[in-house]
Amino acid sequence: MITVEEVQNTHQKKEFLNFPTRLYQHDKNYIRPLDKDINDVFSPEKNKFYADGECTRFLFKNKSETVGKIAVFINKSYEQHQPTGGIGFFDCINDQETANFIFNHCKNWFQERGIEAIDGPINFGERDKFWGLLTEGFLEPLYCMNYNFPYYKELFENYGFKTYYEQLCFSRPIFAEVSRVFTVMHAKYSKNAKISAKPLKKNNIEKFARDFTEVYNSAWASHGSGKQIEEAKVLKMFKGMKPIINEHISWFVYENEKPIAMWMNIPDLNQWFKYLDGKFGIIEKLKFLWVKKFKKNEKMVGLVFGVIPEWQKKGIEGFMIWEGTQHLRKHTDFKTTELQWIGDFNPKMIKIAENLDTTVTRKLATYRYLFDQEKDFERHPII
């Protein structure tokens, strides 16, 4: 008989973190997330979504043995056609009845609060962390990317969850042949004295934060929801990233010193964090510095790519990509670059990724379950 425990005390919080480690102990590709990153999600002091939302965690046990865990949350800023809750941080033994029990418990919890659908696995926060169920490409996960067993797909779909949208991850080898279009565009713009390319430098981080903000807001102002970002927030983000910024892999292009394009990358932190077993105390921080110094990190992650409207479809991205690629080949150990996921509802961004000579190396899915099974199921609208 399965029993349910709401996560409240210290022991239960530790079990919520430790259960996956036991579950995946024989999976060589599993990388334990930092406990801090998980705990921050469930901290009202650190997670702004608590101000207008609700979140609870549960452990599921068969006798005294944990067989599953999950978090449920209501985020009022997560606007959908019907009141929709979220589930995340799901882990479960390979047993459909156990998974059904977990999902039924969540459904009942939501129905008591007037919710009509569930999306998951998602995060009680932004889409950039812990979002989606891995369905293809069971490789080592990127930092703050969900990882799960292949059988999780069956657990969700057998219960009745349907794919709301797919999340595509694109990758390419650093030393793979670069498209001739890129080299041609590089040759063209290299002759233009008005055009220059510069890597991000830590000692001038205020300038690059300002340039990033300008390009981002111009490039994405009419894209999707048209969400703008503030320079102060970008600068705070850049300063927070300073310890892990690699000065050879993020590039900006200028026309007469006006920023017109940018290509932002960071090292994949999981290539270092995988040695820390989820901890990041004083000892682990010292170990991190040692690993960072002596262990080669061969994977970098593409965060943002943008070109201002006036320079789109003119090949300036080819100039930037080839300029940066030639440089990082000489000055870094990176062998692979992988883009953060792109939703299948975003064909414009997918086209950009494909134009960078990338291939899809992994897929995740955001599922939706409608409580009223007679209601027509609609996938995420195309933007």
Side-chain angles (χ1 to χ4, degrees), residues 46-71:
K46 296 184 178 180
N47 188 343
K48 64 181 181 180
F49 290 93
Y50 273 95
D52 195 31
E54 182 179 359
C55 177
T56 303
R57 286 173 284 175
F58 297 105
L59 294 171
F60 299 85
K61 296 190 175 183
N62 189 341
K63 298 180 180 179
S64 60
E65 181 181 359
T66 301
V67 292
K69 71 174 182 66
I70 205 164

Side-chain angles (χ1 to χ4, degrees), residues 6 50 74 117 125 163 204 249 291 358:
E6 183 175 346
Y50 273 95
I74 299 172
T163 301
N204 203 1
I249 63 176
V291 169
T358 58

Side-chain angles (χ1 to χ4, degrees), residues 286-340:
L286 292 173
K287 185 175 182 179
F288 169 74
L289 293 175
W290 185 92
V291 169
K292 186 171 177 287
K293 184 176 179 63
F294 294 105
K295 289 279 188 180
K296 288 184 179 181
N297 189 338
E298 298 182 343
K299 183 183 293 185
M300 69 183 205
V301 182
L303 298 181
V304 185
F305 179 93
V307 178
I308 67 172
E310 305 94 287
W311 276 90
Q312 291 174 9
K313 299 182 180 180
K314 293 184 178 180
I316 197 66
E317 67 275 9
F319 169 75
M320 178 170 59
I321 296 295
W322 186 226
E323 184 78 6
T325 298
Q326 290 181 96
H327 179 89
L328 69 89
R329 283 179 175 178
K330 294 179 182 178
H331 298 283
T332 75
D333 296 313
F334 297 114
K335 294 182 178 179
T336 305
T337 180
E338 183 164 353
L339 308 183
Q340 292 279 21

